[in-house]
Amino acid sequence: SPFEVDILDRLSASQITATGPGLASGRTGQKAEFTVSAGKGGLCHKKQLSVTVDLAGTRPASPVKTRIRDNDDGTYSADYVPVEKDEHSVSIVYKGEHIRGSPFRAAIQASPNAGGCCVSAPWLSGKKKLPLGEDSAVDVSTDSAGDGAITAELLDPAQKQHPVFVSHDQPTSVWNIRFKGATLGQHQLSILWEGKHVPGSPFKFAITPPTTPNHILAAGKGLHHATASCTESFEVSTVNGLPYDAAAMIATLESENG
């Protein structure tokens, strides 16, 4: 005493299964995990179990360090941390044979890095003012930001959300953000890469009354004919009822005879 007893292992590779997200996908620098199981009441010996992870493809094998932990319940937890973006091959072998589904193919993406995004728009480098009702745009380059997606949110002075349209200019790494200021005042545009603010976000800017002539309409009798010494009138309005800055408007009266 104590007595050593050999447990007869009748399991074959076909009876072993593996499940978990690390068998199908992952991100560089982050742990990818999965579980190996012998099924109902089965016990597989760790000495007979082998897990290897390599970069898939024609390049020379580049093994990734793996860890296997015995859960003492007939299952094993395994994980690896990929360092390169590309498809990886996850091989799980028991008694020299691949288990069901092995080798698995895991699509490894580059971890997102919001700090690698580059935001550009002419109005961002100026006074950060945009005319009411006009379409505005921002471009975001994600060349150095890893894999992910851009989301955006536009808030007006009352913290009310306004529509923002985000599109990806494939196959490039440029994302396009389009919006239109619908109310006057200070606004805030948040641009996020996989949930994290890009450099400079949130961007604050003012929506101001339009000052370009194509937004202004004038109509009335006083614009077409007038009687000497009599007061004539006309009305000034804006396209679609937009507000305007009256202080920026000048009306002059000239006779044809100078």
Side-chain angles (χ1 to χ4, degrees):
S1 172
F3 302 100
E4 293 186 1
V5 179
D6 288 331
I7 303 299
L8 186 61
D9 179 8
R10 297 182 182 275
L11 285 175
S12 65
S14 62
Q15 296 172 281
I16 309 295
T17 59
T19 57
L23 298 174
S25 62
R27 289 188 180 275
T28 56
Q30 298 181 18
K31 188 186 295 183
E33 301 176 306
F34 57 93
T35 301
V36 180
S37 174
K40 299 179 180 179
L43 292 173
C44 60
H45 290 183
K46 186 176 181 180
K47 291 182 179 180
Q48 301 277 14
L49 183 65
S50 170
V51 177
T52 57
V53 180
D54 298 277
L55 272 170
T58 57
R59 290 183 292 178
S62 180
V64 178
K65 184 179 179 179
T66 59
R67 295 192 308 167
I68 306 174
R69 299 178 302 283
D70 190 345
N71 297 323
D72 296 323
D73 60 0
T75 67
Y76 290 90
S77 295
D79 64 68
Y80 63 98
V81 180
V83 295
E84 293 189 56
K85 171 188 174 179
D86 212 335
E87 187 178 65
H88 283 56
S89 174
V90 182
S91 298
I92 305 175
V93 174
Y94 191 66
K95 293 181 178 178
E97 295 183 4
H98 283 280
I99 71 167
R100 281 183 290 172
S102 177
F104 299 88
R105 297 287 183 175
I108 304 301
Q109 295 181 312
S111 291
N113 172 27
C117 294
C118 182
V119 180
S120 62
W123 58 270
L124 281 176
S125 58
K127 296 181 179 180
K128 296 184 179 177
K129 292 183 178 181
L130 294 173
L132 183 70
E134 285 197 2
D135 291 323
S136 300
V138 178
D139 290 335
V140 184
S141 174
T142 60
D143 270 329
S144 305
D147 294 306
I150 285 286
T151 55
E153 178 186 70
L154 177 63
L155 298 177
D156 68 13
Q159 297 300 295
K160 178 184 176 182
Q161 275 191 283
H162 289 263
V164 180
F165 303 95
V166 180
S167 61
H168 186 193
D169 188 13
Q170 294 181 333
T172 73
S173 60
V174 176
W175 291 72
N176 312 115
I177 300 172
R178 301 289 182 269
F179 62 93
K180 181 184 294 187
T183 59
L184 294 174
Q186 193 77 5
H187 284 58
Q188 178 174 291
L189 177 66
S190 295
I191 303 177
L192 302 102
W193 179 246
E194 285 298 297
K196 299 285 184 66
H197 283 280
V198 304
S201 177
F203 301 94
K204 296 181 179 180
F205 57 94
I207 297 295
T208 59
T211 57
T212 53
N214 60 316
H215 283 96
I216 309 299
L217 303 176
K221 178 182 175 182
L223 295 175
H224 303 288
H225 55 82
T227 302
S229 302
C230 292
T231 300
E232 303 292 350
S233 63
F234 58 91
E235 293 183 351
V236 176
S237 62
T238 57
V239 177
N240 297 325
L242 296 173
Y244 63 92
D245 186 359
M249 188 176 300
I250 300 173
T252 59
L253 177 64
E254 296 180 3
S255 69
E256 291 184 356
N257 297 324

